[in-house]
Amino acid sequence: PRLSISCVSINAYGNRIVSSSHGGSLKLWDGETGVLLRTVEAGDTGIIYSCVSSSGHRIVACNRDQLSVKVWD
């Protein structure tokens, strides 16, 4: 089944976009070309909020069920 996107964030320079899904995956995109740069499986539970740092090197996400926050470099 297709899982919906829960959040989309763009860094300050517009060159990195992170999207998160209710299925627990995060995707980092190149904001200029639209190319998918990285996919991170954050677990079985959905992500309710995600953001990307202004440099585009860190992703922060909040898990729906465990109410935890994770950071990826």
Side-chain angles (χ1 to χ4, degrees):
R2 215 166 190 191
L3 298 171
S4 61
I5 294 173
S6 58
C7 186
V8 174
S9 299
I10 303 170
N11 74 338
Y13 301 105
N15 60 351
R16 292 293 180 263
I17 300 170
V18 64
S19 62
S20 56
S21 76
H22 293 289
S25 67
L26 297 164
K27 295 183 183 283
L28 181 65
W29 305 85
D30 184 304
E32 296 171 355
T33 65
V35 171
L36 177 63
L37 301 173
R38 182 176 178 189
T39 299
V40 176
E41 294 302 327
D44 294 337
T45 59
I47 304 297
I48 57 171
Y49 179 76
S50 61
C51 64
V52 61
S53 65
S54 60
S55 67
H57 294 291
R58 288 195 178 106
I59 298 171
V60 177
C62 180
N63 181 298
R64 178 182 65 206
D65 293 339
Q66 298 171 349
L67 296 177
S68 62
V69 174
K70 295 182 181 180
V71 179
W72 291 269
D73 282 321

